[in-house]
Amino acid sequence: MSIKDGRRSSERRERRLGVSYAAPMGVWFTVFFIAPLVIIILYSFLKRGLYGGVEWEFSLTAYGQMFNPNFGKVLLRTIWISVVATAFCILLAIPTGYAMARSKHQTLLLFLIIIPFWTNSLIRIYAWISILSTEGFFNEILKSLGIIDEGLHLIYNHGSVILVLIYMYLPFAILPLFTTIDKFDFSLLDAARDLGATKFGAIRLVMLPNIRSGLLTAIVFTFIPIFGAYTVPLLVGGKDSTMIGNIIVDQVSKTRNWPLASAFSMILTLVSTVGVIWMMMSSRKEQAQKKNVTNQQKTEQNILDHHTTGGEA
Amino acid sequence: MLRNRIAQAMGGMGKRLKGVEVTAGHVTRSYGDFKALDDVSVRIEKGEFFSLLGPSGCGKTTLLRIIAGFDSPDSGTVLFDGKDVLPFPPEKRQSNTVFQTYALFPHLTVYENIAFPLRLKHVDKQEIDRKVREYVHLVQLDEHIDKKPNMLSGGQKQRVAIARALINEPSVLLLDEPLSALDAKLRQNLLIELDELHDKVGITFIYVTHDQSEALSVSDRIAVMNHGKVLQIGTPYEIYEAPATEFVAKFIGETNLYPCTVTSCERYNDEYMMTIDVPSLGRAIYVTDEEPMEIGRGLNFTVRPEKITITIEPPSKQKAGINTFHGIVEEPVYSGFQSKFYVQLDDVGTVVKVFKQHTNFMDDGPEIEWKDLVYVSWSADDGYLVKVIDE
């Protein structure tokens, strides 16, 4: 009895300690993540103040204002730019991750992918401006090669926005894909080819389904930040390349319609939530499958018994 | 048992596939400075169960991968029935492989794994279903047909891999250490099943293994490899009884092996009786061989431990050509059906390995224990001269 009680009380103490271990993280998240989120949700349902801020009066005006054809255009543009940029990121990241996983110099390659993060992202965007602009690096090279006489308009359009977005977020696609491809058993590709698949067929039929979780993470990790991007369209986009992020900035700082800004940021929150839930659900499915593996030992024992007692009939 | 099922199923199906002759000629393959294969030539006959045997890194898997088409040689030829297959990728060759780690597709069920090659060939759906069920039944996995590989045991996975490799009806089945991940008991059973399967389907099996007992028990012929070279090709009997090189003698089974010099050689019936000087044994001994050796030639003398008799009483000297030594038992090891003795010889101190088979109680003789003084003896016929001394 006493031993049992002792154990139970120590368990209880453990549990209490667990709470206190998690407390700093909990406080941090509450103050800097949940509280701001609640404020934004709240603001989106309030009336706008005349010079910024809000009036404490319930209102759905902000959500009504969102159904403006101009905003609709921006939302559609944000979606298609994000989809195209994400698709390119993934298409580039799969072969890159594959090559890295098969390389002998993995550490060096990982290092090379991380190096750009040492430079501030604004500076990197400005670097693209100096590369793409009409008198920029790229045009100067083409001119000196005699291919063109006059600088091409490579910047301040949708293309440049997509290009720079791909550049900015490609590492977020490469890293999760590299990690899953690295764990992938490459002998499966040999097996697929042995059984009649072409090189490309083996990758499509065997590798892609087995790196699903990495693909999913890569998609979510690139799509969400791209969807909320605002510096890239602001700096390398044209007059008509604004995205949702730019609307939010404008509504906060210029138009000073804080409830509308909050309502728009709710869209971003919604998109990320859906992405994260999708990721969680598919990882749970994978976990459920792995759980069955524990049954394997039982089966193995059965087989062994069968063979030893069944004899060499 | 499974092999009866296979016999029935294959018989019922009338499955007797056609094997091909596989020839590798002067195959060389290097990875940087490392020579994985160094001028390797083997000719594997139609329908043969052929093993490539050697320690890890000897080049056996490289040779298998070259035959399968996963790797290409730097020089040399690979022919199936005399036809050059090197220009063809793996999917265009009449060979299929059972991989060491099974390489089952984890996202597909047993059914889908086995159907995979047929679906690639766009075989009619009903035909796929019929054939897959046939092969699933063949490897006795009917009740596991809808399971994913991670729910199967090692032995079951291996059977899926075999069914998947056979469903394409290849002419050569390449097996890359298919049993190495299984425990000993299961391995023994699956080995017998594999042998039975080979007899039924009749195609050429090329079996890569580092386990000499596996190779000896199932192969028609074995190629023993080391450091990228084929040292000897022969039947299991030849390889065990007449090892061509020092390495083969040591790698296959256990043996006593000592350097020696030929001191005399004379004809004796249809053989040659020789005396050889063995420094490690302290004196000259008798040994017979089918061919004469020149006097003064340096060779290796080998005698298998199970061919040595161990007795407490001195053996009666009626027969000529018996070599007898006296020593002390330094380490008796009892292992059920046999006992192993490590006997240290008087004067020279060399340790001789002796295996004594246990028979019935009456014939077993007095028990030999630690520190017993014993006689070890063997006939000149049971010794063997290994001609090639490894550098």
Side-chain angles (χ1 to χ4, degrees):
Chain A
M1 274 297 265
S2 64
I3 293 171
K4 217 175 181 181
D5 282 352
R7 197 167 55 208
R8 199 170 292 161
S9 82
S10 88
E11 256 172 39
R12 217 175 300 146
R13 201 170 55 231
E14 276 288 309
R15 218 171 295 151
R16 256 204 313 275
L17 277 175
V19 171
S20 63
Y21 292 155
M25 198 66 176
V27 170
W28 177 274
F29 264 92
T30 316
V31 173
F32 294 107
F33 181 72
I34 297 178
L37 191 66
V38 170
I39 292 172
I40 289 170
I41 295 172
L42 211 65
Y43 270 29
S44 72
F45 290 106
L46 293 176
K47 221 175 134 188
R48 81 179 270 203
L50 207 52
Y51 306 102
V54 286
E55 279 175 29
W56 286 90
E57 197 177 309
F58 177 79
S59 154
L60 286 171
T61 327
Y63 289 95
Q65 284 171 334
M66 273 169 56
F67 292 97
N68 174 321
N70 286 328
F71 290 146
K73 246 192 255 167
V74 175
L75 181 64
L76 282 179
R77 185 187 304 134
T78 307
I79 291 172
W80 82 254
I81 285 181
S82 305
V83 168
V84 170
T86 306
F88 271 108
C89 279
I90 302 295
L91 286 179
L92 288 169
I94 291 172
T96 312
Y98 181 87
M100 282 170 71
R102 297 224 89 165
S103 166
K104 279 183 206 152
H105 311 287
Q106 288 190 351
T107 329
L108 175 73
L109 292 172
L110 271 173
F111 186 65
L112 289 177
I113 296 226
I114 290 167
I115 279 185
F117 289 106
W118 291 358
T119 311
N120 181 281
S121 64
L122 275 175
I123 293 175
R124 285 185 284 144
I125 298 171
Y126 276 110
W128 272 106
I129 295 175
S130 72
I131 290 170
L132 295 175
S133 64
T134 324
E135 270 93 46
F137 179 71
F138 192 68
N139 274 318
E140 288 305 318
I141 284 185
L142 289 184
K143 268 191 229 165
S144 67
L145 288 175
I147 297 169
I148 50 166
D149 299 328
E150 221 171 277
L152 299 171
H153 295 286
L154 300 170
I155 198 169
Y156 307 126
N157 52 38
H158 294 342
S160 60
V161 172
I162 291 172
L163 177 71
V164 177
L165 281 173
I166 292 169
Y167 161 77
M168 296 289 284
Y169 295 102
L170 189 58
F172 296 98
I174 292 176
L175 292 177
L177 275 168
F178 160 70
T179 330
T180 30
I181 295 176
D182 194 39
K183 277 184 263 165
F184 175 73
D185 176 8
F186 287 106
S187 72
L188 296 182
L189 291 182
D190 279 348
R193 298 209 56 195
D194 187 61
L195 295 167
T198 57
K199 211 171 188 171
F200 181 72
I203 287 175
R204 187 172 58 87
L205 294 168
V206 175
M207 196 176 91
L208 289 188
N210 282 301
I211 58 164
R212 244 188 63 112
S213 65
L215 268 174
L216 218 77
T217 314
I219 290 173
V220 171
F221 275 25
T222 45
F223 187 83
I224 290 176
I226 289 176
F227 197 76
Y230 80 94
T231 38
V232 174
L234 186 73
L235 295 176
V236 303
K239 258 182 279 167
D240 60 345
S241 331
T242 44
M243 291 168 68
I244 286 190
N246 305 102
I247 294 184
I248 297 175
V249 175
D250 284 353
Q251 293 302 328
V252 171
S253 59
K254 288 185 192 155
T255 326
R256 295 200 167 263
N257 188 345
W258 287 18
L260 185 57
S262 303
F264 271 115
S265 82
M266 287 311 295
I267 296 182
L268 297 185
T269 311
L270 201 72
V271 168
S272 359
T273 312
V274 167
V276 169
I277 287 175
W278 183 35
M279 229 166 76
M280 266 162 55
M281 266 171 40
S282 71
S283 83
R284 189 175 304 166
K285 214 165 95 190
E286 230 161 72
Q287 226 118 59
Q289 264 178 17
K290 272 186 195 132
K291 227 177 193 172
N292 287 319
V293 181
T294 40
N295 292 333
Q296 190 185 314
Q297 275 123 5
K298 229 195 274 171
T299 329
E300 208 123 288
Q301 190 55 47
N302 284 342
I303 295 277
L304 202 62
D305 290 346
H306 171 76
H307 273 276
T308 45
T309 56
E312 320 286 298
Chain B
M1 278 307 294
L2 180 59
R3 51 206 152 99
N4 297 331
R5 288 277 286 278
I6 290 172
Q8 280 165 16
M10 281 299 190
M13 285 150 63
K15 278 266 144 59
R16 183 99 192 148
L17 307 175
K18 261 187 76 185
V20 289
E21 180 190 87
V22 178
T23 322
H26 306 287
V27 172
T28 299
R29 178 75 170 100
S30 307
Y31 301 102
D33 288 339
F34 177 69
K35 261 198 169 165
L37 289 174
D38 187 2
D39 193 28
V40 166
S41 296
V42 285
R43 196 178 62 79
I44 299 157
E45 280 167 35
K46 226 173 246 191
E48 194 173 19
F49 197 130
F50 192 90
S51 291
L52 299 170
L53 173 64
S56 56
C58 73
K60 55 191 193 302
T61 300
T62 307
L63 182 57
L64 194 82
R65 289 178 62 79
I66 285 173
I67 294 172
F70 302 132
D71 202 347
S72 330
D74 300 332
S75 63
T77 55
V78 176
L79 313 172
F80 284 9
D81 268 349
K83 228 181 67 201
D84 185 13
V85 294
L86 285 179
F88 299 106
E91 66 265 28
K92 295 268 163 64
R93 299 191 187 184
Q94 308 145 269
S95 59
N96 278 121
T97 310
V98 176
F99 293 85
Q100 184 170 11
T101 49
Y102 318 123
L104 300 182
F105 306 130
H107 63 297
L108 301 179
T109 63
V110 169
Y111 183 99
E112 292 163 334
N113 260 286
I114 298 175
F116 187 87
L118 298 181
R119 284 185 179 163
L120 282 175
K121 283 201 282 188
H122 302 291
V123 177
D124 175 61
K125 230 179 182 166
Q126 282 179 330
E127 172 66 7
I128 291 180
D129 191 65
R130 191 187 63 74
K131 238 179 141 182
V132 169
R133 288 183 190 282
E134 195 172 86
Y135 275 83
V136 166
H137 186 67
L138 175 72
V139 291
Q140 235 189 354
L141 289 171
D142 306 68
E143 53 192 300
H144 305 291
I145 195 161
D146 291 321
K147 285 188 185 165
K148 292 267 178 78
N150 62 8
M151 294 171 71
L152 301 176
S153 71
Q156 290 167 337
K157 281 184 200 166
Q158 209 255 0
R159 288 173 188 183
V160 177
I162 289 175
R164 190 181 64 175
L166 282 176
I167 203 161
N168 251 347
E169 305 188 350
S171 303
V172 193
L173 188 67
L174 306 170
L175 301 115
D176 185 9
E177 308 218 17
L179 306 180
S180 60
L182 305 172
D183 68 86
K185 258 265 152 35
L186 202 56
R187 196 152 64 210
Q188 213 46 47
N189 282 297
L190 282 167
L191 198 61
I192 296 166
E193 285 171 11
L194 214 53
D195 192 21
E196 205 69 26
L197 189 68
H198 171 254
D199 290 347
K200 291 302 156 203
V201 292
I203 60 172
T204 313
F205 274 37
I206 304 178
Y207 187 89
V208 162
T209 182
H210 65 269
D211 185 319
Q212 42 100 8
S213 73
E214 270 179 25
L216 289 176
S217 53
V218 290
S219 315
D220 294 321
R221 285 193 307 149
I222 299 170
V224 184
M225 296 180 69
N226 194 29
H227 297 316
K229 285 191 165 141
V230 171
L231 303 176
Q232 186 175 11
I233 299 177
T235 64
Y237 183 83
E238 285 165 355
I239 298 245
Y240 188 80
E241 297 293 339
T245 78
E246 188 182 332
F247 176 83
V248 176
K250 283 182 182 160
F251 189 71
I252 311 291
E254 288 190 67
T255 200
N256 297 293
L257 190 125
Y258 312 106
C260 64
T261 320
V262 180
T263 51
S264 79
C265 175
E266 55 190 78
R267 208 179 162 85
Y268 180 79
N269 295 333
D270 49 356
E271 283 184 325
Y272 292 87
M273 174 67 89
M274 279 165 269
T275 50
I276 51 168
D277 185 42
V278 186
S280 341
L281 297 177
R283 63 174 164 90
I285 57 167
Y286 299 109
V287 63
T288 59
D289 203 284
E290 284 165 358
E291 43 185 309
M293 302 283 158
E294 63 209 86
I295 290 164
R297 181 171 169 188
L299 298 158
N300 271 312
F301 168 76
T302 175
V303 57
R304 297 282 181 192
E306 72 274 14
K307 290 178 178 163
I308 303 178
T309 314
I310 182 166
T311 48
I312 290 182
E313 300 298 315
S316 49
K317 274 192 180 166
Q318 329 110 318
K319 249 172 55 184
I322 299 281
N323 303 299
T324 307
F325 289 86
H326 190 257
I328 181 166
V329 175
E330 277 304 340
E331 218 189 322
V333 181
Y334 176 76
S335 63
F337 69 99
Q338 69 174 14
S339 287
K340 301 181 179 186
F341 300 99
Y342 294 81
V343 179
Q344 188 173 36
L345 301 187
D346 295 347
D347 305 328
V348 283
T350 304
V351 173
V352 175
K353 261 184 275 183
V354 183
F355 296 168
K356 183 174 188 289
Q357 195 75 17
H358 293 300
T359 54
N360 58 54
F361 180 73
M362 294 303 288
D363 295 343
D364 238 7
E367 200 175 324
I368 295 165
E369 285 165 4
W370 184 54
K371 293 294 179 198
D372 276 353
L373 296 173
V374 292
Y375 290 92
V376 290
S377 57
W378 67 88
S379 153
D381 294 332
D382 287 325
Y384 185 77
L385 290 172
V386 178
K387 280 86 194 170
V388 178
I389 302 169
D390 297 349
E391 311 90 64

